[in-house]
Amino acid sequence: MCKSKLTVFDGGFDMKQSLLTKAVTLALAFCVSLGGFSVTRTKTEAPVHAEAASDLIRNNTFWKDTNGNNIYSQGGGIFLFGDTYYWYGVHYSGAETYAANPTKKNDDTGFKAVSCYSSKDLVNWKFENNVLTPSSKNFPWAYWFGRLGVCYNQNTKKYVLVAQHNESVLFASCDTPTGNFVVENIQDYITNVAKQGTGDQTIFIDDDGKAYLICSNKGGRGNQYVVPLRESDYLAAEPAVRVANGHGREGNCMFKYKGKYYFCASDLHGWNASHSYYMVADHINGPYSQWYVMPGTDEDFSHVTQTGFFVTVHGSKEETVLFCGDRWSDFAGNGIGYNQWVPLSFDGDVPFFNSMSEWHFNAETGEWKVGDGNNWILNPSFDADRVSQTTLAGWKNSGSGNSNASGARTGRFCMQHWSDSAHNGTMYQDIKLPNGTYTLKAWVKCSGGQNSSKVFINGYGGDEKSVSVNRKMDSWTEVVISDVVITNGTCRVGLATDGNAGNWVKMDDLSLVKTADYEPEPIPDGKYVTQLQVADYTNSADWSIAENLQVGDKVFGDRDFTFVSVPQSMQGAEWIRTACDSKKYTDAEASFVAGDNVTVFVGLDSRVKPVPAWLNDWTLTNDTLTDDGNPVVTYEVYRKDFSAGETVTLGAVNMSSAVNYIAAVTQQQEPITEINYGDVDCNGTVAVADVILLNRFIGEDTAVTVTAQGLLNADCAHDGAQTPEDSTLILKYLAAMITYEELGTQS
């Protein structure tokens, strides 16, 4: 049972015209979905059936409830009441039509009901009730109804539903979250809002339980507002606070993360998708930052959605924000499914959209991970662009004849190579992904007659694989490239055509899915570092075990800068050259088994703050390393002793604005029980070689190493340091000017 505290923000939806009849077509807000990794856009993916509870969230499908029926919930929000999540949204007549035959958009925005679903885990949803319908008590005729949320009022002990109704805001209430709501009020105007009607609205519940309407204005989309609800009963909107103006926005919604408020919205693209925007502030009424595009939303326009609402889960291990995007595919014809959800990542105050087709989520802990069946191609069905384009979202091209086209296998658009003259072009996508064995699939149609045309994958660490498609194919035909073993964490996927005038080839619904995990080549054991296992498979090829750490050594396996200073304690050590890009890995990066009783040193970028928790029981030394990067990095050195056979875990940095760490390993020094003065090289005798070694050490010759025992033996002057005076005393002893006893008692 999930006890996590939840803050939810729903995303409503917005009328584009003043509609006067039920049959009017609404040009509405657009949707944004989950995302941050890569996308799976196979529009014909099988629906999710609810045979058993699962932690898997799969996008690009028409979601099913626990009884196997379609979930119809658009333009709504999720709210935590007690220990149960309740998801409210609108069931439109056109949603049923499109789900039954998702090949053509429709204009049927007829309001059927506000549906309510419940869940303990935010993954499996039980249908509870149609809590508001056109036949509900006091419900007036509506040519438009949507963009809603529900809040609980402590004073009245009632649940209050707030939604757009025609040009106004409707308020309804109920004694229970799943009962039949009764309309209580319709408010035509909100004080301080420019004109009648909200331009997309959602409900935000702050940590103190206060409820707010987040919106723009229907007649002034360049104004964004935070509107408190009347605290006594939540049945009316109080005067609004304008928090931004100057940029037209819709899909207005809000979330709170680690004490900061994020006001989010999308472009004015109607039913279509766009990248997502955010402003951030320390207080709900601002002042807010400027608008920023949320990283990760450009490549597939927020997984082909519009900002819908957010869910902030305070799990036992992670605070996680879910981006719940509305894909208005029923009215835009842009793909399969209406609800597309993904988790956000954060780098400081900056949220990142992880675009995924499937992922696992644990609402109790707040943890998530990419699903095994995730499609790593972004915008694989070419529905992110809402208009004709020659350069498509997430894709690059070269040459001529590149475009999107209608007549897609699913949705509105597909990729096309065509020209009324001879053309030679390539459209491709460069993808970063975990190493492993993958299968590439694509659907194609072709006129035939090209000199050549191929679907290809290359740049993955092996020879290019391709399938020729320059033959007549009147119907959509699937091509498959299997057993692609990716070893370098990247690949390029695309279509290349050398065509004659009038030739055409179309491609749609690509997928690149991992079929087997990567089994990296074992890293040969060192003397002290054995059984090194790198968990970050994507960058594991750039990890290695090296000998004799010195100034001038290359710091990382995937960077060219070198060390310009190495402390005495680490010089000559066996060491692990890591991959700098492993800094972004979210779990422990690697582990090894100590081949002897060892001391392990970790050099950590001084910019990594707070220091990762796995270093809490390590000792911070006074030593540092530096490199010649741009900028120069100083590495603070931590140390810890391990016994032979003990496993050493090297944890995560999980920070993109720093570099990774390196690790050095030396044999543990035996406890020093006796000092042999003058024996700097610890070979049992005092000789000129000891003077030479000591002088080189004093002169900071980085090519020499003096052990801890040798440093104590060299301190003949008993001043706690190694100085030329010590060298002079050793020379006096060698010249018989003082006795050995005198050598050891000088001061």
Side-chain angles (χ1 to χ4, degrees):
M1 180 176 295
C2 180
K3 302 287 185 181
S4 304
K5 184 178 180 182
L6 173 73
T7 306
V8 177
F9 326 97
D10 59 352
F13 117 76
D14 156 359
M15 293 188 306
K16 305 298 178 185
Q17 305 171 354
S18 179
L19 306 178
L20 301 177
T21 66
K22 293 182 179 180
V24 187
T25 300
L26 300 173
L28 268 180
F30 102 80
C31 348
V32 117
S33 165
L34 33 337
F37 272 83
S38 306
V39 200
T40 272
R41 239 96 39 253
T42 307
K43 303 178 190 173
T44 56
E45 197 171 352
V48 179
H49 295 285
E51 289 101 1
S54 168
D55 68 349
L56 183 68
I57 294 176
R58 182 180 295 154
N59 294 313
N60 310 310
T61 66
F62 295 107
W63 288 2
K64 304 288 184 179
D65 63 19
T66 53
N67 288 324
N69 298 316
N70 278 355
I71 290 177
Y72 293 114
S73 184
Q74 294 178 266
I78 293 175
F79 304 87
L80 182 65
F81 300 133
D83 64 354
T84 302
Y85 301 97
Y86 293 91
W87 178 14
Y88 302 89
V90 181
H91 179 174
Y92 294 105
S93 299
E96 293 185 17
T97 304
Y98 187 80
N101 184 24
T103 59
K104 186 178 180 180
K105 65 178 182 177
N106 63 74
D107 299 320
D108 188 358
T109 59
F111 169 61
K112 296 196 70 171
V114 173
S115 56
C116 175
Y117 300 85
S118 68
S119 175
K120 300 290 187 179
D121 57 15
L122 288 166
V123 178
N124 302 282
W125 294 94
K126 174 188 175 184
F127 176 72
E128 293 287 352
N129 186 28
N130 288 324
V131 298
L132 190 72
T133 70
S135 61
S136 293
K137 185 177 180 180
N138 299 333
F139 190 89
W141 175 82
Y143 55 80
W144 165 249
F145 185 90
R147 295 293 190 185
L148 58 90
V150 174
C151 45
Y152 178 71
N153 187 274
Q154 291 285 354
N155 298 316
T156 62
K157 309 301 181 186
K158 287 183 178 292
Y159 298 86
V160 177
L161 186 154
V162 185
Q164 285 181 334
H165 177 273
N166 299 338
E167 309 290 319
S168 306
V169 180
L170 177 147
F171 299 84
S173 70
C174 186
D175 293 331
T176 66
T178 61
N180 297 318
F181 281 68
V182 175
V183 176
E184 303 278 6
N185 180 35
I186 293 180
Q187 185 171 344
D188 294 332
Y189 292 93
I190 299 174
T191 302
N192 297 336
V193 173
K195 300 177 181 179
Q196 183 180 5
T198 57
D200 283 3
Q201 64 178 48
T202 56
I203 292 295
F204 170 71
I205 312 297
D206 208 345
D207 295 338
D208 59 5
K210 292 183 179 179
Y212 298 85
L213 191 66
I214 307 300
C215 65
S216 59
N217 180 239
K218 179 176 180 290
R221 301 299 182 80
N223 299 288
Q224 288 77 43
Y225 301 95
V226 171
V227 186
L229 299 186
R230 186 170 65 198
E231 288 192 35
S232 61
D233 55 13
Y234 289 165
L235 292 176
E238 299 281 33
V241 176
R242 189 175 71 176
V243 296
N245 73 303
H247 296 277
R249 297 285 184 258
E250 59 188 13
N252 306 286
C253 48
M254 179 176 285
F255 69 86
K256 191 175 184 180
Y257 178 76
K258 296 192 181 302
K260 291 186 178 294
Y261 297 86
Y262 292 79
F263 194 119
C264 301
S266 59
D267 279 316
L268 297 176
H269 284 178
W271 300 113
N272 288 285
S274 85
H275 46 220
S276 300
Y277 297 90
Y278 73 95
M279 306 182 293
V280 61
D282 293 324
H283 305 284
I284 191 167
N285 288 333
Y288 281 83
S289 69
Q290 67 184 63
W291 285 106
Y292 298 102
V293 174
M294 186 180 295
T297 64
D298 274 344
E299 290 81 0
D300 60 359
F301 286 168
S302 311
H303 206 83
V304 193
T305 68
Q306 179 187 39
T307 39
F309 60 89
F310 294 89
V311 181
T312 300
V313 178
H314 298 271
S316 60
K317 294 184 178 180
E318 301 286 346
E319 181 178 349
T320 302
V321 178
L322 308 187
F323 183 111
C324 302
D326 281 323
R327 179 182 290 176
W328 301 99
S329 55
D330 36 355
F331 311 132
N334 57 355
I336 300 297
Y338 304 131
N339 312 107
Q340 315 292 320
W341 296 359
V342 298
L344 300 183
S345 301
F346 288 82
D347 186 357
D349 294 343
V350 179
F352 182 87
F353 182 94
N354 296 296
S355 189
M356 295 177 287
S357 62
E358 68 171 50
W359 54 289
H360 298 272
F361 181 61
N362 186 322
E364 182 70 31
T365 66
E367 296 173 299
W368 62 272
K369 65 178 182 179
V370 184
D372 291 339
N374 183 63
N375 180 1
W376 290 88
I377 299 177
L378 293 168
N379 192 19
S381 297
F382 312 103
D383 282 322
D385 297 290
R386 70 191 194 283
V387 295
S388 297
Q389 299 278 358
T390 56
T391 300
L392 310 184
W395 294 83
K396 300 176 183 178
N397 58 41
S398 61
S400 58
N402 300 291
S403 69
N404 60 1
S406 59
R409 176 174 175 266
T410 56
R412 293 180 61 193
F413 290 108
C414 60
M415 178 193 291
Q416 177 178 257
H417 278 164
W418 171 86
S419 178
D420 56 6
S421 60
H423 52 280
N424 193 328
T426 302
M427 196 171 296
Y428 61 92
Q429 183 173 134
D430 292 321
I431 304 166
K432 284 191 174 182
L433 69 178
N435 290 338
T437 302
Y438 287 77
T439 296
L440 172 66
K441 296 181 179 180
W443 291 85
V444 295
K445 291 176 71 174
C446 187
S447 65
Q450 295 87 351
N451 299 319
S452 66
S453 186
K454 63 180 180 180
V455 178
F456 68 87
I457 180 169
N458 58 33
Y460 58 85
D463 295 334
E464 178 177 283
K465 291 190 173 187
S466 64
V467 175
S468 178
V469 295
N470 60 332
R471 63 186 186 278
K472 187 173 179 59
M473 289 179 277
D474 293 327
S475 59
W476 287 103
T477 303
E478 186 178 48
V479 298
V480 179
I481 301 175
S482 57
D483 297 323
V484 181
V485 181
I486 295 174
T487 60
N488 60 1
T490 187
C491 68
R492 174 174 288 186
V493 170
L495 177 68
T497 300
D498 178 5
N500 300 302
N503 293 161
W504 57 264
V505 58
K506 296 182 178 182
M507 182 167 67
D508 204 7
D509 296 338
L510 287 84
S511 66
L512 182 63
V513 176
K514 186 168 68 173
T515 57
D517 289 333
Y518 173 63
E519 296 294 338
E521 291 292 327
I523 299 174
D525 287 346
K527 183 177 181 180
Y528 302 122
V529 180
T530 67
Q531 302 177 46
L532 176 60
Q533 301 289 327
V534 181
D536 178 18
Y537 288 161
T538 299
N539 298 294
S540 62
D542 291 315
W543 286 59
S544 62
I545 300 172
E547 297 178 347
N548 191 24
L549 176 60
Q550 298 291 340
V551 168
D553 285 344
K554 184 179 174 182
V555 182
F556 297 110
D558 54 352
R559 298 292 191 277
D560 291 330
F561 45 88
T562 61
F563 288 116
V564 296
S565 73
V566 176
Q568 175 70 25
S569 60
M570 299 172 69
Q571 288 179 21
E574 183 172 278
W575 64 293
I576 300 173
R577 179 183 284 121
T578 67
C580 187
D581 282 343
S582 291
K583 65 187 180 182
K584 300 177 184 178
Y585 195 66
T586 57
D587 294 320
E589 296 178 20
S591 66
F592 67 91
V593 176
D596 201 339
N597 295 332
V598 297
T599 299
V600 180
F601 300 88
V602 168
L604 179 72
D605 187 338
S606 60
R607 296 171 297 179
V608 179
K609 301 297 179 188
V611 174
W614 61 276
L615 286 170
N616 285 349
D617 60 347
W618 292 56
T619 300
L620 175 62
T621 72
N622 292 322
D623 290 334
T624 59
L625 304 95
T626 55
D627 64 30
D628 61 359
N630 185 17
V632 169
V633 174
T634 298
Y635 303 78
E636 297 173 335
V637 176
Y638 294 76
R639 61 171 289 165
K640 186 177 181 180
D641 291 338
F642 294 87
S643 301
E646 191 174 354
T647 297
V648 181
T649 299
L650 301 175
V653 170
N654 191 20
M655 183 175 177
S656 60
S657 57
V659 298
N660 203 26
Y661 51 75
I662 66 106
V665 185
T666 62
Q667 187 177 32
Q668 278 184 32
Q669 298 296 314
E670 294 296 327
I672 298 172
T673 59
E674 181 180 358
I675 299 175
N676 300 313
Y677 289 104
D679 186 11
V680 182
D681 59 10
C682 300
N683 66 353
T685 63
V686 180
V688 173
D690 294 299
V691 179
I692 295 172
L693 178 61
L694 179 56
N695 286 339
R696 293 179 66 184
F697 173 78
I698 294 170
E700 298 184 352
D701 186 342
T702 58
V704 301
T705 301
V706 180
T707 65
Q709 175 74 62
L711 294 175
L712 289 175
N713 292 350
D715 186 18
C716 299
H718 301 278
D719 59 2
Q722 293 73 38
T723 67
E725 184 180 357
D726 298 311
S727 298
T728 300
L729 290 170
I730 299 172
L731 286 172
K732 285 183 177 181
Y733 165 71
L734 293 174
M737 296 172 66
I738 58 175
T739 66
Y740 186 78
E741 288 73 18
E742 290 173 319
L743 174 64
T745 57
Q746 296 294 316
S747 61

